[in-house]
Amino acid sequence: MCRLPSLKTVHHCLGPAFTVQSATPWLYLYKRFHKGEQGFPSRRAGSQPSSEDQSSEIFLQIMTMGLLARTSITLFLMVFLLKSQTLAFKLFSFRSVTHEIITRVAILETTIGVCRDQALREGRDFVPPRIVTEESLAAACSSPLSAKGFKRSIKKIVGRNAWVDVRHVFSAKHHFDDESFLRGRDLITKGVFTVKASVKQQRYECAREKLGEVLHTLQDFYSHSNWREMGNRRPYSNLIKPSSPIENIADSATCRSCIGNNCSGNILEQINTQRKLTSGYFNLVSSNKPEGKCSHGGFFDRSSGRDPKGGINKDDVDASHGYLHVEAAGTAIGATKELLEDIRAAAGDSEFLRLMGFTQTSVLCFVIDTTGSMSDDIAEVRRVTSSIIESRKGTSKQPSEYILVPFNDPDYGPLTRTTDPELFKSKMGELQAHDGGDAPEMSLSGLQLALTGSPPQTEIFVFTDAEAKDKWLKSTILALIERTKSSVTFMLTNAFSGRSRISGGPQFSSRSSNPLIGIYQELAQASGGQAIEVTKATLPQATSIIVDTSSSSLVTVFQAVRDSAKPEIFTFFVDSSLQNLTIYITGNPSYYTITGPTGATQSNTEPSGPLGIIEKVGNFHTVRPTISDQTGQWRIIIFSARPYSIKAFGQSAVDFLFDIVELSDGPHPSYAVLNSRPKANSNVTLLVSMLGGEMVRPTEVTLVDASTSESFNGTLEEVAIEVYLATIANVPAGEFLVCVSGESSSSRDPVHFFQRQFLTHLRTSNVSITVQSDAGTLEPGRSLTLPFTVSTSGSGGVFNIRVSNDRSFLMADFPSTLTLETGGSVNGTVTLTAPGNTPSGTDVTLTIEAEAPRATDFNYAVLRISVVTPVTDITPPVCEIVSVNANCSGNCSLLWWDLSANITDRNGSGIQRLAVRQGLATLNTSTVLDGGVNVTLAFLRASCCFPQAELVVVDSEGNVGSCSRSVTSTVSPSTSSPTVPTSANRAERPLGVPGFFWVTAGIILLFQFT
């Protein structure tokens, strides 16, 4: 019998498939098991086998069974999470399969299938990674630069999944409690239609949020109902099919009281044998429940103390029906994959990957003033855009999206967002400079559209030569910068005059000397961008910044902003993974020197020196080190009488993502990502995700005061692989940055130190705004009223209230001011109305702001609300195979088989798309009218090397129908067969959930008895 006493035994148990590459997570497990780290029990040498050792036998038996059946695609998810005695939130739990694990595994599995099918269609090989992470899968899918966007999207979906346990903790329908099957299914199906509509309009952030919410409810069904107790192993597909009935809901008593702590037999036998569907009732404040009904169970459920006592939930291994926890979670993974496949079928593979952030590399985003004096600027943007597009066409560095927002006065927009570089060049070519004689322009309104319409963390470039006319939007822009974490750089041409329109005159560079552009400097610094002041003649020299920053692998190692007129010394560390180190200094310092790791020094008076090249245009200095070894400590000494900023960055796979979160204890411990500033004078909690692989480990997460660079440290706890919870008790009073320091290593390189900073400037607030209900969705032509609460932990007084949205939707019934007492709160409402012609799937970003008296403090709430037309067609199209013609008894590479099908949508919304989802085939269609019904005739021809094919049909509402066929004739492939994998060798690949699942089950059982 295999134990876990030695690495040799581990290899013996796992067999020859357990290679060095696949062993890394297991080595980590082995070391931590024997060291007793993070709650892992340790055993002294020579001692007798304990219950922990006996559990390890069970663990390895189950683990080996799973790995022999199928290699796990997700070894990295076997994480060493919170100690069970000190769980911070339920979403992360080592003793259980969590929502986070279920969601992540399903997304990775589905994405592997998408990449495999795309490679098949394009004639490329696809080799799934042995250990699947976002980074390794992105590389296997020939898109390594997508890793950050992929991880960010999964993080968004998982975070919104967790949010349901915070914002809807007592809502039965969100958790399938209280036998609320019809209402729960309604939530799921309406949510899925919203996801599909949002993807259709390319509003991916809204789609990810709604997808996370839907997945939580779907996954809870398998934990809170008796689906598994009835012996079901497959998902209940009717939950995602609105046209299919939810039948046989129990209409009588369902449970008996538990005997002691054993609730395994408390569901009445006839309920399960008659396949009656039930779920537990949950009540936090009362023991009331219908007579004879099951309870949810657990410490917080007061109804479980009333007959019939006990519960039936399978939330974790210690739950009332915890003995079925692993099996229920396995079915939930299958159900999650089924829903993802439905969305994939409706959207298509390319759009599904964009939903997952998988194709998001660099984004070119321009906000351009089109008034009369901007002809030269527009021409320069055209030039640099064409240069980037042509030089990167067909490479991994080609931008994945192009975004353009023009502005003038009083007009601004529309926003153009496309993946087609030629369309973007055409839109750029259509820009014409005109009008604008009254100087100030709607620059912030244009920027608002760009911030809400771009992916998170986009580099946005604003070109203008005039001050902002819409200065009232400044706090809204700050709120959106903090929420999207995007960076804004202003290219200010001839921004040196005190006249209304900025055009010529003596040079000024500080905020105090030229208040007309002070707002641009403030917004640039808050976002980690630049406010670059140049002449129109020298603008082409400054646009090199667009080329420098148009890469998804950029990381920041250091930044600082200073207003003080005194000499300062800055130091930062460059690690060996960083390439193309670049240093920006924006401002007009009197003098500065830069010292490299070897001691070589160069000053700003040396354009070319021992460290590299220093370029200056206007107030913008670019330092490009050319020394061969840039690893080590760098130092900058700077003298300046005016404000300036410093930024050191480069390209590296090692980076981090973070969210400020609010932890929630209670019936379902979880967390919610804040959509506002955190509270002042209290802990700040960060959920930090690392990028760069499993060998990247943070040692410190700090908040850095933006004005002094003083660091504020906190505690750091690993809660999942590459995910950490950082809690900082002492927070800077003003603006601060998030900094992560740590260690990174690989099989080829020793451990080395790294440091990273996030660009966005953040701050706490004594003011808070809470939207009291779920925003839900908004119908075109209808109104939605949102109640909100403004509170303060500081002094009272009259607070200014500002409400804005990025679609110019009508807003009404909101107060312009609210009077609060010291430490008090007041309620308000805002009513938002969408025009009747708003396309379904559009979203609107609503920002509610509260400003303290004398503008000493402000906070905000930012909400994305989907606008969705009610769906009346819930019936999927019908695909009926008419004939199959196959003769595949020979060399499959030379033979074909045919399939004909008739497709109708009856009186539905109409066929929108047909696609082949399995195999390699050509598809031709035609349409005929048969008895007043449109019938699509589909003819599919497939290679005999691919004996399976599935035809997917999607109607205009996103309902999905399909038909499939497999030919069974003997196939005799020759050595000249196509190089793309056949169905047979695809089956040998490590693509299935069972491998991961048996591994997870083994881990859970190992620690269930500790």
Side-chain angles (χ1 to χ4, degrees):
M1 189 70 70
C2 288
R3 294 181 181 276
L4 196 60
S6 69
L7 294 177
K8 181 178 179 180
T9 307
V10 171
H11 190 276
H12 172 71
C13 288
L14 297 177
F18 190 69
T19 62
V20 173
Q21 290 82 1
S22 66
T24 303
W26 292 106
L27 298 179
Y28 190 31
L29 170 62
Y30 174 85
K31 292 175 184 177
R32 297 186 66 167
F33 179 84
H34 280 279
K35 288 181 179 179
E37 293 182 19
Q38 293 277 105
F40 279 64
S42 60
R43 178 184 165 197
R44 289 188 295 273
S47 63
Q48 292 298 313
S50 63
S51 60
E52 290 89 344
D53 297 295
Q54 295 167 9
S55 297
S56 72
E57 292 185 4
I58 301 171
F59 160 65
L60 275 178
Q61 289 180 60
I62 296 176
M63 179 186 72
T64 306
M65 289 167 56
L67 290 178
L68 290 177
R70 225 177 220 182
T71 304
S72 167
I73 72 158
T74 47
L75 288 172
F76 85 106
L77 289 175
M78 297 181 326
V79 294
F80 313 104
L81 308 174
L82 298 173
K83 297 180 182 179
S84 59
Q85 297 88 347
T86 57
L87 282 178
F89 40 93
K90 197 90 164 230
L91 190 78
F92 298 120
S93 168
F94 187 78
R95 292 171 58 87
S96 305
V97 184
T98 62
H99 281 290
E100 186 264 347
I101 290 177
I102 291 168
T103 303
R104 180 170 282 176
V105 169
I107 290 175
L108 291 173
E109 285 267 348
T110 306
T111 304
I112 282 181
V114 175
C115 290
R116 179 194 62 221
D117 291 348
Q118 280 200 333
L120 178 65
R121 288 191 294 269
E122 296 169 6
R124 296 184 286 106
D125 289 332
F126 176 74
V127 180
R130 296 186 65 86
I131 300 176
V132 177
T133 65
E134 289 87 346
E135 292 90 343
S136 67
L137 182 51
C141 296
S142 303
S143 186
L145 296 180
S146 296
K148 184 183 291 186
F150 188 26
K151 190 157 196 168
R152 185 190 303 119
S153 298
I154 293 178
K155 187 168 179 282
K156 182 74 171 183
I157 295 166
V158 168
R160 199 63 175 187
N161 189 316
W163 174 88
V164 175
D165 267 337
V166 177
R167 294 293 184 257
H168 298 292
V169 63
F170 302 121
S171 170
K173 64 182 178 180
H174 282 85
H175 308 283
F176 279 109
D177 293 333
D178 302 0
E179 297 183 323
S180 55
F181 298 112
L182 297 178
R183 293 190 300 143
R185 198 271 296 272
D186 193 46
L187 270 181
I188 292 171
T189 54
K190 285 184 177 180
V192 170
F193 278 123
T194 299
V195 172
K196 293 175 179 178
S198 297
V199 171
K200 200 172 181 179
Q201 293 293 326
Q202 299 184 337
R203 311 307 293 182
Y204 302 109
E205 279 297 284
C206 249
R208 291 169 193 137
E209 289 184 0
K210 183 56 68 174
L211 178 57
E213 296 174 31
V214 166
L215 289 180
H216 185 102
T217 300
L218 178 68
Q219 292 159 6
D220 269 1
F221 172 82
Y222 300 96
S223 177
H224 295 178
S225 75
N226 65 327
W227 185 254
R228 282 299 292 123
E229 285 85 347
M230 289 192 292
N232 297 302
R233 295 182 178 275
R234 293 183 177 275
Y236 188 24
S237 298
N238 288 12
L239 291 178
I240 65 172
K241 296 178 179 178
S243 60
S244 299
I246 303 290
E247 296 180 328
N248 221 24
I249 300 174
D251 55 1
S252 60
T254 54
C255 268
R256 63 172 65 90
S257 291
C258 298
I259 301 174
N261 294 324
N262 180 14
C263 287
S264 60
N266 63 333
I267 299 179
L268 299 178
E269 288 78 4
Q270 63 269 26
I271 295 298
N272 290 333
T273 57
Q274 296 174 14
R275 306 192 65 76
K276 296 281 190 179
L277 197 58
T278 187
S279 66
Y281 281 74
F282 178 86
N283 199 317
L284 182 69
V285 298
S286 169
S287 61
N288 290 335
K289 65 179 178 181
E291 191 71 25
K293 288 295 186 179
C294 302
S295 290
H296 176 86
F299 176 79
F300 290 96
D301 180 18
R302 291 194 62 189
S303 78
S304 63
R306 177 181 175 180
D307 288 336
K309 297 178 180 178
I312 65 170
N313 86 81
K314 296 162 281 293
D315 287 345
D316 55 54
V317 294
D318 296 322
S320 304
H321 279 205
Y323 69 99
L324 286 174
H325 168 74
V326 172
E327 290 87 344
T331 309
I333 290 174
T336 302
K337 288 180 61 179
E338 184 180 49
L339 186 145
L340 292 173
E341 287 289 354
D342 179 69
I343 293 171
R344 172 193 173 186
D349 286 355
S350 295
E351 285 301 295
F352 180 83
L353 289 177
R354 293 185 71 189
L355 171 64
M356 293 302 147
F358 203 83
T359 55
Q360 183 186 325
T361 53
S362 60
V363 177
L364 281 185
C365 182
F366 299 132
V367 181
I368 302 178
D369 185 344
T370 60
T371 48
S373 59
M374 289 293 292
S375 296
D376 293 343
D377 306 60
I378 294 171
E380 172 56 21
V381 177
R382 288 195 192 109
R383 183 199 67 79
V384 72
T385 300
S386 295
S387 174
I388 291 173
I389 289 173
E390 295 305 320
S391 64
R392 300 182 180 182
K393 185 180 296 183
T395 71
S396 61
K397 295 182 179 180
Q398 178 176 327
S400 58
E401 285 191 272
Y402 306 86
I403 297 170
L404 175 64
V405 183
F407 66 89
N408 203 292
D409 180 25
D411 299 323
Y412 57 91
L415 178 143
T416 298
R417 181 174 181 176
T418 180
T419 60
D420 183 351
E422 296 305 318
L423 175 61
F424 186 72
K425 288 166 65 175
S426 174
K427 290 293 183 181
M428 287 293 305
E430 294 172 6
L431 293 182
Q432 297 293 328
H434 61 93
D435 301 329
D438 61 345
E441 314 299 347
M442 305 294 284
S443 55
L444 299 191
S445 296
L447 178 55
Q448 181 184 25
L449 276 183
L451 285 165
T452 58
S454 303
Q457 293 179 237
T458 294
E459 292 273 352
I460 300 173
F461 294 92
V462 182
F463 291 80
T464 186
D465 63 358
E467 63 178 305
K469 186 173 186 175
D470 43 6
K471 292 185 178 70
W472 63 83
L473 282 175
K474 187 185 85 167
S475 57
T476 302
I477 298 299
L478 285 172
L480 293 174
I481 285 171
E482 292 181 17
R483 296 278 48 83
T484 64
K485 301 185 179 76
S486 290
S487 176
V488 184
T489 289
F490 293 89
M491 310 294 286
L492 307 172
T493 51
N494 290 342
F496 311 123
S497 172
R499 299 197 298 271
S500 296
R501 181 154 206 95
I502 303 171
S503 56
Q507 293 194 9
F508 300 105
S509 61
S510 73
R511 202 162 33 207
S512 57
S513 61
N514 190 357
L516 297 179
I517 62 172
I519 190 172
Y520 295 144
Q521 289 178 325
E522 184 176 351
L523 294 175
Q525 290 176 1
S527 71
Q530 320 296 317
I532 299 174
E533 305 170 26
V534 292
T535 65
K536 292 186 180 294
T538 57
L539 177 61
Q541 301 173 46
T543 52
S544 61
I545 187 175
I546 301 173
V547 180
D548 291 343
T549 57
S550 58
S551 169
S552 63
S553 60
L554 286 185
V555 300
T556 302
V557 294
F558 176 78
Q559 63 168 320
V561 175
R562 292 293 185 271
D563 286 326
S564 58
K566 65 177 182 179
E568 291 228 30
I569 300 175
F570 304 97
T571 61
F572 58 89
F573 187 86
V574 173
D575 60 275
S576 60
S577 75
L578 193 82
Q579 298 179 339
N580 300 323
L581 173 66
T582 305
I583 302 170
Y584 289 159
I585 299 176
T586 305
N588 278 316
S590 306
Y591 180 75
Y592 60 83
T593 62
I594 302 175
T595 303
T598 63
T601 299
Q602 185 173 337
S603 74
N604 61 313
T605 61
E606 305 172 84
S608 179
L611 289 178
I613 306 298
I614 299 179
E615 302 167 344
K616 180 180 181 297
V617 53
N619 69 334
F620 182 50
H621 304 240
T622 304
V623 182
R624 303 185 189 278
T626 57
I627 56 175
S628 57
D629 186 6
Q630 300 176 0
T631 304
Q633 192 86 358
W634 288 72
R635 182 178 65 183
I636 300 177
I637 302 176
I638 191 164
F639 300 82
S640 180
R642 294 174 176 174
Y644 62 90
S645 66
I646 302 173
K647 176 181 174 181
F649 65 96
Q651 293 175 310
S652 171
V654 178
D655 201 6
F656 73 101
L657 303 169
F658 80 94
D659 283 310
I660 299 178
V661 299
E662 177 183 45
L663 301 184
S664 173
D665 295 324
H668 300 287
S670 191
Y671 72 92
V673 176
L674 289 182
N675 63 357
S676 60
R677 289 176 169 174
K679 294 179 181 178
N681 304 313
S682 64
N683 292 347
V684 169
T685 304
L686 307 176
L687 194 62
V688 179
S689 298
M690 299 306 301
L691 293 154
E694 71 277 359
M695 304 307 289
V696 175
R697 185 175 66 89
T699 56
E700 190 174 62
V701 175
T702 59
L703 303 183
V704 179
D705 191 302
S707 60
T708 65
S709 296
E710 180 184 0
S711 293
F712 295 77
N713 300 329
T715 61
L716 185 64
E717 188 169 17
E718 186 178 7
V719 294
I721 195 164
E722 301 170 5
V723 180
Y724 299 81
L725 197 67
T727 304
I728 296 94
N730 190 15
V731 180
E735 293 184 358
F736 60 84
L737 305 162
V738 178
C739 178
V740 171
S741 304
E743 298 172 345
S744 177
S745 63
S746 68
S747 58
R748 292 173 295 178
D749 297 323
V751 174
H752 60 260
F753 172 81
F754 69 87
Q755 71 175 63
R756 299 287 185 267
Q757 278 192 4
F758 220 87
L759 290 173
T760 312
H761 290 217
L762 305 169
R763 67 186 309 151
T764 60
S765 176
N766 287 306
V767 182
S768 66
I769 300 180
T770 304
V771 180
Q772 294 179 349
S773 65
D774 182 13
T777 58
L778 179 62
E779 292 182 21
R782 303 291 295 272
S783 297
L784 177 68
T785 298
L786 295 170
F788 62 89
T789 300
V790 178
S791 58
T792 178
S793 58
S795 301
V798 178
F799 286 66
N800 292 320
I801 306 299
R802 290 186 290 269
V803 182
S804 64
N805 72 82
D806 63 337
R807 298 281 182 182
S808 299
F809 286 1
L810 178 65
M811 299 179 298
D813 303 330
F814 63 89
S816 59
T817 62
L818 289 173
T819 301
L820 277 72
E821 297 180 355
T822 298
S825 64
V826 176
N827 296 328
T829 62
V830 58
T831 299
L832 184 68
T833 304
N837 61 351
T838 306
S840 185
T842 302
D843 65 21
V844 55
T845 300
L846 179 71
T847 307
I848 306 172
E849 305 161 37
E851 183 183 68
R854 298 176 298 281
T856 55
D857 193 4
F858 99 98
N859 207 341
Y860 54 81
V862 177
L863 297 91
R864 287 184 183 266
I865 304 171
S866 295
V867 183
V868 181
T869 303
V871 175
T872 56
D873 174 17
I874 61 173
T875 304
V878 175
C879 180
E880 180 182 10
I881 295 176
V882 177
S883 66
V884 176
N885 180 25
N887 181 14
C888 292
S889 56
N891 183 347
C892 71
S893 63
L894 302 177
L895 300 173
W896 300 84
W897 64 279
D898 303 331
L899 178 151
S900 297
N902 290 345
I903 298 164
T904 60
D905 197 32
R906 295 183 292 274
N907 296 319
S909 54
I911 302 299
Q912 182 187 61
R913 190 172 65 85
L914 282 79
V916 178
R917 186 155 62 173
Q918 288 186 16
L920 186 61
T922 58
L923 178 65
N924 293 298
T925 63
S926 60
T927 303
V928 298
L929 194 64
D930 183 6
V933 176
N934 284 324
V935 179
T936 300
L937 308 179
F939 179 78
L940 181 149
R941 167 161 284 193
S943 165
C944 284
C945 295
F946 303 95
Q948 292 180 325
E950 181 183 17
L951 186 59
V952 175
V953 189
V954 184
D955 68 18
S956 296
E957 293 286 12
N959 296 298
V960 177
S962 67
C963 52
S964 61
R965 182 58 58 93
S966 174
V967 293
T968 57
S969 299
T970 302
V971 178
S972 174
S974 71
T975 55
S976 61
S977 297
T979 57
V980 288
T982 66
S983 299
N985 60 34
R986 280 205 307 271
E988 297 172 2
R989 292 171 176 168
L991 300 180
V993 168
F996 156 77
F997 206 66
W998 280 117
V999 171
T1000 305
I1003 296 175
I1004 292 168
L1005 288 175
L1006 172 62
F1007 293 100
Q1008 187 173 358
F1009 305 106
T1010 60

